[in-house]
Amino acid sequence: MIQIKNLFLLSVIFAVSISIITDYAYAESSPNSISWQLTFITDKSSCNFSEETKIREIENMVKKYFQLYKMNGNLLESNCVLSGQYFSNSNSNDANLNIIVLDEVIGDQLMMRYGYEGLYAHYGADRTNNHAIIISSHSQYSSAFENTEFSWLLSHELSHFILSHKGHNVESIERMLHADKLQYNDCISDFSQRCADIKSTVTSNVSGQKFNVMSPLKQVVNQNSMSYLSDDLYSSYAVKKLLHQITGWWINGIIDDKFYLDALKQIVDVPITKNNMVKTTQLSISNGFSILDEIKKGENNEKILKNPAKMYDVLKFIPFDTHSIKSESKSPIIPSWYKNRAMLWQNEKLEDRIFLDGVDAIVRNGLIQEN
C-alpha cells in the first residue's frame, strides 16, 4: 500500500512538473521565430518601379540577415506609402517588428540634418513584441551627408532588435554592438581575417549584388536565453543555500516581488567592466528605450551639431499605440509559472537546472536587469 501511495505521489509530482514545464514552454515558445512588417515611405507622387525594387531588395536583406542569426522571420507584408498618406493608412498590429524606411528626401529632412541615420526602439515588458526600426534610405554617393552604407546600417539596427528580442537590456546591447575598436570605416574595404568578426556579406536574390553587413555575434547565434547564471549557482553550497532561503521568504510572503527580484539580482547579475561601457544617444521613453545611430559628417565634411530632441518627431512614425503599453520596470510582476516552479524547487521536487532555467527566463523578460 505504501509503495502504491508513493507511486501515486510520484505520478502527481511528475504531472505537475510537466504542467509547469509546458507553461514555461508556452511562455517561451518559438524564441527564434518573429513576424515583421516593412513600410517604405516616399516623398514622390507615386510608388514606381524603382521604389518597388528597393522594397524587394530590403526584404531580401532582412531575410538573409535573420538567416545569419538562424532566426525564422515571417514577413507579414510590405507597403510603399506616400508621405502625405502615411498617418491615414492602417498598419498590421500582428508584427513583432515594424521596419520603417524613409526615402532619401524624407530621411535627410527628419533625421540626417539633425545628425542621425537610424533609430531602434522597444516598448513595454514583452520582449517578443513592440519593436520598431526607423532608418533613412540613401544612396552612398547622392546624399549631402557622409553616411554609412545602407545595408550595414540596416544590419546594425536589426542587431539591436535581435539582442533586445533575446532579452538583452540597453546597457548590454551598447557593449556588445558599440564597443568594437574595429569600426565600420576600418573594415568596409578590408577583406583580411582581422575583419572577419566585424563584417560579413549577403548576396541579393533580387539583383545578385553583394552587400556588407555586420557579422552576427557568435555568442548570440542559436541563443534562446541569456547566460546570466554564474557557475557558483551550480557548485557553491553557500550560494545555493542563500538562493533557497530568499526564494522561501518570497514564496511565504515575507518579502514581495520587488524585494525578491532585487535580492536575486545580486546573485545572477553580470558584473560590468567599466572600460567596456559605451554610451549611445537615447531618447527618454517612459515605457521603453531607444538607441540612435549618428551619421559621420555633414555636407563638405562639416561636423553636424546633433539635435536628438528632433528625433521625438520620428517616433511618431511608429505604427502602434506606444502610450498604452505598460512599462517593464515600474511594477515587476513575477509570472505564476515561475512561482509554481520555485515552490517545487523549494521542496526539493525539481532539479536545480530546471529552476535556474526559469531564473534565466525572467532575466530575459526584463524583470531582472543589469546595473
Side-chain angles (χ1 to χ4, degrees), residues 282-313:
Q282 301 173 28
L283 300 180
S284 177
I285 300 175
S286 61
N287 58 344
F289 68 90
S290 71
I291 299 176
L292 300 176
D293 282 297
E294 302 177 357
I295 64 172
K296 291 183 285 186
K297 294 179 183 177
E299 194 171 6
N300 299 321
N301 287 328
E302 294 177 358
K303 185 176 180 180
I304 291 183
L305 184 63
K306 306 295 190 299
N307 190 349
K310 291 292 185 179
M311 293 300 99
Y312 286 102
D313 291 334

Side-chain angles (χ1 to χ4, degrees), residues 70-84:
K70 300 184 179 180
M71 298 181 71
N72 299 317
N74 175 31
L75 173 60
L76 298 183
E77 60 179 328
S78 294
N79 299 304
C80 180
V81 182
L82 307 185
S83 59

Side-chain angles (χ1 to χ4, degrees), residues 107-123:
D108 281 3
Q109 291 175 348
L110 295 182
M111 300 185 76
M112 305 284 280
R113 66 185 296 186
Y114 300 115
Y116 302 97
E117 56 186 354
L119 178 154
Y120 164 77
H122 174 259
Y123 291 81

Side-chain angles (χ1 to χ4, degrees), residues 54-67:
K54 184 171 289 188
I55 289 173
R56 301 287 87 77
E57 198 79 273
I58 296 171
E59 285 178 1
N60 193 256
M61 287 184 200
V62 176
K63 291 176 182 177
K64 290 291 182 75
Y65 200 67
F66 282 149
Q67 289 172 7

Side-chain angles (χ1 to χ4, degrees), residues 149-345:
E149 184 180 3
F150 177 77
S151 59
W152 183 280
L153 178 62
L154 177 61
S155 68
H156 185 72
E157 301 302 337
L158 287 170
S159 297
H160 288 155
F161 159 71
I162 291 168
L163 266 65
S164 179
H165 184 265
K166 289 179 178 289
H168 295 272
N169 63 18
V170 65
E171 291 85 1
S172 177
I173 294 170
E174 285 177 324
R175 287 201 317 278
M176 298 177 77
L177 294 180
H178 294 263
D180 287 312
K181 293 182 179 179
L182 283 173
Q183 298 297 320
Y184 165 79
N185 283 342
D186 298 324
C187 283
I188 199 63
S189 300
D190 190 335
F191 298 94
S192 65
Q193 185 59 39
R194 78 186 188 98
C195 286
D197 291 336
I198 303 295
K199 182 185 68 175
S200 297
T201 59
V202 295
T203 303
S204 169
N205 292 340
V206 178
S207 63
Q209 185 177 351
K210 291 184 180 295
F211 293 103
N212 292 308
V213 295
M214 288 189 70
S215 292
L217 298 174
K218 294 178 181 178
Q219 67 269 38
V220 177
V221 177
N222 285 329
Q223 180 191 60
N224 290 341
S225 62
M226 302 186 333
S227 299
Y228 272 83
L229 306 183
S230 168
D231 290 339
D232 288 342
L233 288 176
Y234 305 102
S235 60
S236 171
Y237 172 78
V239 172
K240 194 177 297 184
K241 185 176 180 180
L242 175 61
L243 186 56
H244 257 285
Q245 187 172 35
I246 63 171
T247 301
W249 290 342
W250 171 63
I251 289 172
N252 293 313
I254 299 174
I255 58 176
D256 61 14
D257 283 10
K258 186 178 186 306
F259 194 99
Y260 176 65
L261 292 174
D262 287 343
L264 201 59
K265 178 178 179 178
Q266 304 306 315
I267 299 175
V268 305
D269 209 10
V270 175
I272 296 175
T273 305
K274 295 296 183 182
N275 60 8
N276 283 338
M277 287 299 292
V278 176
K279 296 306 293 181
T280 57
T281 304
Q282 301 173 28
L283 300 180
S284 177
I285 300 175
S286 61
N287 58 344
F289 68 90
S290 71
I291 299 176
L292 300 176
D293 282 297
E294 302 177 357
I295 64 172
K296 291 183 285 186
K297 294 179 183 177
E299 194 171 6
N300 299 321
N301 287 328
E302 294 177 358
K303 185 176 180 180
I304 291 183
L305 184 63
K306 306 295 190 299
N307 190 349
K310 291 292 185 179
M311 293 300 99
Y312 286 102
D313 291 334
V314 178
L315 290 179
K316 296 175 183 177
F317 284 85
I318 294 177
F320 51 82
D321 183 7
T322 60
H323 300 291
S324 64
I325 300 172
K326 188 175 181 180
S327 171
E328 68 177 16
S329 59
K330 289 185 178 180
S331 179
I333 299 175
I334 301 176
S336 59
W337 64 261
Y338 177 83
K339 190 162 190 175
N340 291 334
R341 183 178 292 200
M343 291 172 66
L344 288 174
W345 182 70

